Amino acid sequence: PGANLISAAWSRNVYLALFTGLFIGGWLCSGFDPVRGFARTGDFLYDSLEDSDSGLLLFTWFMSGMVGVMTRSGGAAGLGHAFASVASSPRRAQLLALAAGCMVFWDDYS
């Protein structure tokens, strides 16, 4: 866990930190051989995807990718500016947050 935290703080990249933790675990399990450790990392990834609900994992990755696309294209900022013009009071901002949450919830289950 310490290597993951250091890697995440240093690189500011969650995926790199998780892969670093997997690689260090594979390296330790393979007797400190980096080539076999890399192969064990692949085995760990394959086993974890084989045993879990990989559809949920893929959905989460794709959803986070779309959030990144929206952020880089300016769509999230535009939506924030549009919401800021409507939310002129604390009560309206709270009602807007409620409505947006209901829309996301409704879309998630439709």
Side-chain angles (χ1 to χ4, degrees):
N4 286 358
L5 291 174
I6 291 169
S7 177
W10 177 71
S11 69
R12 297 183 188 255
N13 188 342
V14 175
Y15 298 120
L16 179 65
L18 290 174
F19 184 77
T20 301
L22 279 173
F23 177 73
I24 289 175
W27 179 63
L28 291 172
C29 289
S30 67
F32 303 102
D33 181 14
V35 175
R36 285 186 17 208
F38 192 75
R40 290 287 296 179
T41 302
D43 292 341
F44 290 154
L45 283 172
Y46 179 76
D47 291 343
S48 67
L49 288 175
E50 182 181 53
D51 294 339
S52 68
D53 186 12
S54 57
L56 179 64
L57 183 62
L58 288 174
F59 174 76
T60 304
W61 280 345
F62 290 145
M63 186 63 87
S64 63
M66 285 307 298
V67 168
V69 167
M70 281 181 55
T71 302
R72 288 187 188 253
S73 69
L79 194 61
H81 289 301
F83 283 171
S85 65
V86 174
S88 57
S89 69
R91 181 172 175 82
R92 289 186 76 163
Q94 197 169 25
L95 289 172
L96 185 64
L98 174 72
C102 288
M103 285 189 286
V104 168
F105 179 76
W106 186 272
D107 181 56
D108 190 37
Y109 288 102
S110 62

